[in-house]
Amino acid sequence: MTAPLTPPHRPSSDDHHDWQKPPAGGGSDGPLGPHGSHWAPSKAEQESDLGADLRRAGLVLALVTVSGALLGLLWLWLAPRVPLVSDNTAVFLADSEGEEAIGADGTFVLLGLAFGVVSAALVFWFNRRGGILLTVALALGSVLGPVLAWQLGTRLGPTDDVVAHAREVGKGVIFDAPLELHAKGALLAWGLAAMAVHLGVTAVFGPREFEGEWGTYGGWGSPAAPASGAGGPSPSEPVSGGPGPSSAAPPLPPAGE
């Protein structure tokens, strides 16, 4: 007997794309249907999320920038002073071999690195979801904050009119030179530390994006083996038209006949 010619049931091509069809009656503002294992957000939800992200980014930008005032006050307090002295004809360094000027730049760099680490950690702690807008706000604040600290520290420090200050204190009296930032690259310390720490903690502790198993939706992937008795040909039965015999071979006659 030949094997049955009825092929096993196979889903139509439309069955494979059922997950792409929008729900009945769904408009442009409604859900768009499942993509993988989640539903695409509606237009209203996307606008709401964008508004919330913009508000959070603006708050981060303002707070990080304003915290530069604290950096400026700490720099003014901790930076070493450069001693000057006058003989009524000129102003000289009281200690020609001193390193106070370099110490002021180094103090600013160390404070900037500390502020960058703390600001990035706080931003991630309160906004674990992250996002490009939040990262941009942190980067801009990390640039504006050091500039504010630099301007505040120099303005609140000793006057930059050295000649008038020397005449005021008198001959042979040591006074402090203006607080200056000679290495302008120190302004980048805060931003570099903030970006490195924020990207690092986001990569390690941040939420993971879902990766759907696309091969399991809508009949995709490996087809399941047909069940026994489902109408498909069994491995031991040849298919009609194939090279196998159509019936079993007859038994051999006994020997001697």
Side-chain angles (χ1 to χ4, degrees):
M1 298 295 291
T2 60
L5 300 179
T6 304
H9 172 70
R10 295 183 179 179
S12 64
S13 59
D14 294 337
D15 296 339
H16 292 173
H17 305 285
D18 288 341
W19 62 276
Q20 294 180 337
K21 296 178 180 179
S28 59
D29 294 336
L32 301 178
H35 293 271
S37 65
H38 61 280
W39 290 84
S42 63
K43 183 178 180 181
E45 291 175 346
Q46 291 178 349
E47 293 178 353
S48 176
D49 292 342
L50 179 59
D53 290 342
L54 288 174
R55 287 190 296 270
R56 284 194 293 267
L59 181 61
V60 167
L61 174 60
L63 291 178
V64 174
T65 302
V66 171
S67 63
L70 179 58
L71 172 59
L73 295 177
L74 289 175
W75 181 47
L76 177 63
W77 177 37
L78 298 175
R81 300 291 189 268
V82 178
L84 301 177
V85 64
S86 173
D87 61 355
N88 287 338
T89 59
V91 178
F92 306 94
L93 290 172
D95 184 6
S96 60
E97 297 181 357
E99 298 179 354
E100 289 82 4
I102 300 177
D105 292 351
T107 302
F108 193 93
V109 170
L110 294 177
L111 289 174
L113 293 175
F115 271 72
V117 171
V118 173
S119 61
L122 291 177
V123 168
F124 175 78
W125 180 264
F126 291 104
N127 299 274
R128 291 179 177 270
R129 197 177 70 175
I132 184 62
L133 293 178
L134 204 65
T135 304
V136 171
L138 178 61
L140 290 178
S142 300
V143 172
L144 298 178
V147 174
L148 176 61
W150 169 40
Q151 294 297 322
L152 183 64
T154 54
R155 292 179 184 275
L156 295 181
T159 178
D160 55 357
D161 192 349
V162 178
V163 176
H165 196 184
R167 290 174 180 174
E168 180 182 352
V169 298
K171 180 181 179 179
V173 178
I174 297 176
F175 60 97
D176 294 335
L179 182 61
E180 297 179 356
L181 188 64
H182 300 279
K184 298 303 186 290
L187 297 172
L188 302 177
W190 186 341
L192 294 176
M195 290 296 97
V197 172
H198 187 262
L199 294 178
V201 296
T202 301
V204 176
F205 302 105
R208 298 291 188 270
E209 295 291 339
F210 178 80
E211 298 180 359
E213 297 179 359
W214 296 99
T216 61
Y217 292 98
W220 292 2
S222 303
S228 177
S234 62
S236 61
E237 294 178 353
V239 181
S240 177
S246 60
S247 61
L252 297 174
E257 294 183 4

